[in-house]
Amino acid sequence: MNRQRRRGTGRRIRQEKRIIDAMLHLYCRDTHGAQKSLCPDCARLQDYAHRRLDICPFQEQKPVCNRCTVHCYSAARRAEIQAVMRYAGPRMPRRHPWLALLHLLDKLRPSPKLARVTR
Ligand SMILES: [Zn+2]
């Protein structure tokens, strides 16, 4: 069986990107007044978040970010994304019920330890 898959293209990672995008848009629209596209700062953060997901060592076994055992963000980016998640997290069920539900289910997964991950 071929488990070798191009990183950043699996179902789990794609879903994480959709969730982070939805959270960023919600946050940016409400706090930075953005319309269709993100403001430059949020666009940079989105780009960063996507790249972290592309190289996430867990890939398809990835836990939700706040339960992860690997801290892959730099301190500054981490503070930025935490502000976004703190704001957007509680608002997700109303604005994006389907994504919020999927994310809730992901929270119930056990957090893998890095050593157990198949590469
Ligand atoms: Zn913004």
Side-chain angles (χ1 to χ4, degrees):
M1 188 164 59
N2 183 18
R3 280 178 164 275
Q4 218 52 31
R5 197 181 211 163
R6 243 170 60 85
R7 292 194 158 193
T9 59
R11 187 201 68 86
R12 173 99 191 90
I13 294 298
R14 276 183 288 129
Q15 182 190 310
E16 291 287 289
K17 286 178 179 172
R18 282 172 56 210
I19 288 169
I20 196 81
D21 287 357
M23 283 185 163
L24 270 167
H25 277 101
L26 195 161
Y27 173 81
C28 192
R29 194 169 51 222
D30 287 7
T31 64
H32 304 152
Q35 298 298 320
K36 277 232 170 343
S37 51
L38 295 169
C39 76
D41 284 346
C42 290
R44 254 195 304 276
L45 186 57
Q46 178 188 39
D47 195 54
Y48 182 84
H50 280 208
R51 268 183 290 134
R52 300 323 296 183
L53 284 168
D54 285 341
I55 62 170
C56 173
F58 296 115
Q59 292 296 304
E60 295 305 284
Q61 283 105 45
K62 186 192 169 299
V64 292
C65 285
N66 63 7
R67 292 192 50 204
C68 191
T69 51
V70 175
H71 298 296
C72 70
Y73 277 51
S74 70
R77 291 304 193 194
R78 192 170 154 79
E80 288 175 21
I81 204 75
Q82 277 175 340
V84 172
M85 288 181 177
R86 255 199 307 272
Y87 180 87
R91 291 165 174 82
M92 283 292 282
R94 208 158 50 84
R95 311 270 278 266
H96 300 280
W98 180 241
L99 277 181
L101 178 67
L102 290 176
H103 197 55
L104 189 68
L105 294 176
D106 286 331
K107 280 186 186 164
L108 303 176
R109 294 160 161 259
S111 304
K113 299 279 185 295
L114 200 50
R116 282 178 34 223
V117 173
T118 46
R119 291 179 189 245

PDB file of all heavy atoms in Angstrom, residues 24 27-29 31-32 34 38-43, ligand 1:
ATOM      1  N   LEU A  24     -10.001  33.288   9.429  1.00  0.00           N
ATOM      2  CA  LEU A  24      -9.293  34.517   9.083  1.00  0.00           C
ATOM      3  C   LEU A  24     -10.231  35.531   8.421  1.00  0.00           C
ATOM      4  O   LEU A  24     -10.175  36.720   8.723  1.00  0.00           O
ATOM      5  CB  LEU A  24      -8.122  34.205   8.144  1.00  0.00           C
ATOM      6  CG  LEU A  24      -6.781  33.908   8.825  1.00  0.00           C
ATOM      7  CD1 LEU A  24      -5.818  33.305   7.822  1.00  0.00           C
ATOM      8  CD2 LEU A  24      -6.180  35.164   9.434  1.00  0.00           C
ATOM      9  N   TYR A  27     -12.564  37.004  11.048  1.00  0.00           N
ATOM     10  CA  TYR A  27     -11.810  37.905  11.918  1.00  0.00           C
ATOM     11  C   TYR A  27     -11.451  39.204  11.199  1.00  0.00           C
ATOM     12  O   TYR A  27     -11.639  40.297  11.723  1.00  0.00           O
ATOM     13  CB  TYR A  27     -10.541  37.185  12.375  1.00  0.00           C
ATOM     14  CG  TYR A  27      -9.552  38.018  13.151  1.00  0.00           C
ATOM     15  CD1 TYR A  27      -9.731  38.255  14.509  1.00  0.00           C
ATOM     16  CD2 TYR A  27      -8.419  38.544  12.528  1.00  0.00           C
ATOM     17  CE1 TYR A  27      -8.810  39.008  15.228  1.00  0.00           C
ATOM     18  CE2 TYR A  27      -7.494  39.291  13.238  1.00  0.00           C
ATOM     19  CZ  TYR A  27      -7.694  39.524  14.585  1.00  0.00           C
ATOM     20  OH  TYR A  27      -6.780  40.264  15.287  1.00  0.00           O
ATOM     21  N   CYS A  28     -10.949  39.060   9.979  1.00  0.00           N
ATOM     22  CA  CYS A  28     -10.488  40.230   9.235  1.00  0.00           C
ATOM     23  C   CYS A  28     -11.665  41.140   8.866  1.00  0.00           C
ATOM     24  O   CYS A  28     -11.568  42.352   8.950  1.00  0.00           O
ATOM     25  CB  CYS A  28      -9.724  39.781   7.984  1.00  0.00           C
ATOM     26  SG  CYS A  28      -8.818  41.110   7.177  1.00  0.00           S
ATOM     27  N   ARG A  29     -12.775  40.539   8.475  1.00  0.00           N
ATOM     28  CA  ARG A  29     -13.938  41.339   8.115  1.00  0.00           C
ATOM     29  C   ARG A  29     -14.443  42.122   9.319  1.00  0.00           C
ATOM     30  O   ARG A  29     -14.752  43.304   9.224  1.00  0.00           O
ATOM     31  CB  ARG A  29     -15.040  40.434   7.556  1.00  0.00           C
ATOM     32  CG  ARG A  29     -16.154  41.196   6.844  1.00  0.00           C
ATOM     33  CD  ARG A  29     -17.053  40.255   6.088  1.00  0.00           C
ATOM     34  NE  ARG A  29     -17.487  39.173   6.962  1.00  0.00           N
ATOM     35  CZ  ARG A  29     -17.555  37.891   6.605  1.00  0.00           C
ATOM     36  NH1 ARG A  29     -17.236  37.530   5.394  1.00  0.00           N
ATOM     37  NH2 ARG A  29     -17.937  36.973   7.463  1.00  0.00           N
ATOM     38  N   THR A  31     -12.806  42.825  12.292  1.00  0.00           N
ATOM     39  CA  THR A  31     -11.896  43.692  13.037  1.00  0.00           C
ATOM     40  C   THR A  31     -11.054  44.594  12.150  1.00  0.00           C
ATOM     41  O   THR A  31     -10.551  45.606  12.603  1.00  0.00           O
ATOM     42  CB  THR A  31     -10.957  42.860  13.951  1.00  0.00           C
ATOM     43  OG1 THR A  31     -10.133  42.043  13.132  1.00  0.00           O
ATOM     44  CG2 THR A  31     -11.762  41.975  14.892  1.00  0.00           C
ATOM     45  N   HIS A  32     -10.873  44.254  10.880  1.00  0.00           N
ATOM     46  CA  HIS A  32     -10.079  45.103   9.984  1.00  0.00           C
ATOM     47  C   HIS A  32     -10.931  45.691   8.868  1.00  0.00           C
ATOM     48  O   HIS A  32     -10.415  46.365   7.990  1.00  0.00           O
ATOM     49  CB  HIS A  32      -8.903  44.312   9.365  1.00  0.00           C
ATOM     50  CG  HIS A  32      -8.005  43.680  10.377  1.00  0.00           C
ATOM     51  ND1 HIS A  32      -7.287  42.538  10.131  1.00  0.00           N
ATOM     52  CD2 HIS A  32      -7.723  44.040  11.667  1.00  0.00           C
ATOM     53  CE1 HIS A  32      -6.592  42.210  11.231  1.00  0.00           C
ATOM     54  NE2 HIS A  32      -6.848  43.104  12.159  1.00  0.00           N
ATOM     55  N   ALA A  34     -12.255  44.265   6.326  1.00  0.00           N
ATOM     56  CA  ALA A  34     -11.989  43.736   4.989  1.00  0.00           C
ATOM     57  C   ALA A  34     -13.296  43.320   4.310  1.00  0.00           C
ATOM     58  O   ALA A  34     -14.245  42.923   4.974  1.00  0.00           O
ATOM     59  CB  ALA A  34     -11.044  42.538   5.072  1.00  0.00           C
ATOM     60  N   LEU A  38      -8.634  39.384   2.133  1.00  0.00           N
ATOM     61  CA  LEU A  38      -8.027  39.690   3.417  1.00  0.00           C
ATOM     62  C   LEU A  38      -7.165  40.947   3.329  1.00  0.00           C
ATOM     63  O   LEU A  38      -6.639  41.275   2.264  1.00  0.00           O
ATOM     64  CB  LEU A  38      -7.160  38.516   3.858  1.00  0.00           C
ATOM     65  CG  LEU A  38      -7.872  37.201   4.166  1.00  0.00           C
ATOM     66  CD1 LEU A  38      -6.851  36.084   4.328  1.00  0.00           C
ATOM     67  CD2 LEU A  38      -8.734  37.323   5.406  1.00  0.00           C
ATOM     68  N   CYS A  39      -6.995  41.626   4.459  1.00  0.00           N
ATOM     69  CA  CYS A  39      -6.048  42.740   4.501  1.00  0.00           C
ATOM     70  C   CYS A  39      -4.630  42.159   4.378  1.00  0.00           C
ATOM     71  O   CYS A  39      -4.436  40.954   4.578  1.00  0.00           O
ATOM     72  CB  CYS A  39      -6.223  43.534   5.792  1.00  0.00           C
ATOM     73  SG  CYS A  39      -5.515  42.739   7.250  1.00  0.00           S
ATOM     74  N   PRO A  40      -3.636  42.987   4.047  1.00  0.00           N
ATOM     75  CA  PRO A  40      -2.281  42.461   3.815  1.00  0.00           C
ATOM     76  C   PRO A  40      -1.738  41.655   5.004  1.00  0.00           C
ATOM     77  O   PRO A  40      -1.097  40.618   4.809  1.00  0.00           O
ATOM     78  CB  PRO A  40      -1.441  43.721   3.569  1.00  0.00           C
ATOM     79  CG  PRO A  40      -2.417  44.723   3.067  1.00  0.00           C
ATOM     80  CD  PRO A  40      -3.720  44.432   3.744  1.00  0.00           C
ATOM     81  N   ASP A  41      -1.970  42.121   6.225  1.00  0.00           N
ATOM     82  CA  ASP A  41      -1.465  41.398   7.397  1.00  0.00           C
ATOM     83  C   ASP A  41      -2.081  40.014   7.507  1.00  0.00           C
ATOM     84  O   ASP A  41      -1.380  39.032   7.756  1.00  0.00           O
ATOM     85  CB  ASP A  41      -1.770  42.185   8.675  1.00  0.00           C
ATOM     86  CG  ASP A  41      -0.837  43.373   8.840  1.00  0.00           C
ATOM     87  OD1 ASP A  41       0.188  43.431   8.131  1.00  0.00           O
ATOM     88  OD2 ASP A  41      -1.148  44.247   9.680  1.00  0.00           O
ATOM     89  N   CYS A  42      -3.408  39.960   7.329  1.00  0.00           N
ATOM     90  CA  CYS A  42      -4.083  38.666   7.449  1.00  0.00           C
ATOM     91  C   CYS A  42      -3.716  37.751   6.285  1.00  0.00           C
ATOM     92  O   CYS A  42      -3.629  36.536   6.451  1.00  0.00           O
ATOM     93  CB  CYS A  42      -5.592  38.853   7.542  1.00  0.00           C
ATOM     94  SG  CYS A  42      -6.115  39.592   9.107  1.00  0.00           S
ATOM     95  N   ALA A  43      -3.496  38.324   5.110  1.00  0.00           N
ATOM     96  CA  ALA A  43      -3.082  37.521   3.960  1.00  0.00           C
ATOM     97  C   ALA A  43      -1.726  36.884   4.222  1.00  0.00           C
ATOM     98  O   ALA A  43      -1.496  35.728   3.877  1.00  0.00           O
ATOM     99  CB  ALA A  43      -3.031  38.392   2.698  1.00  0.00           C
TER     100      ALA A  43
HETATM  101 ZN    ZN B   1      -7.050  41.592   8.481  1.00  0.00          ZN
END
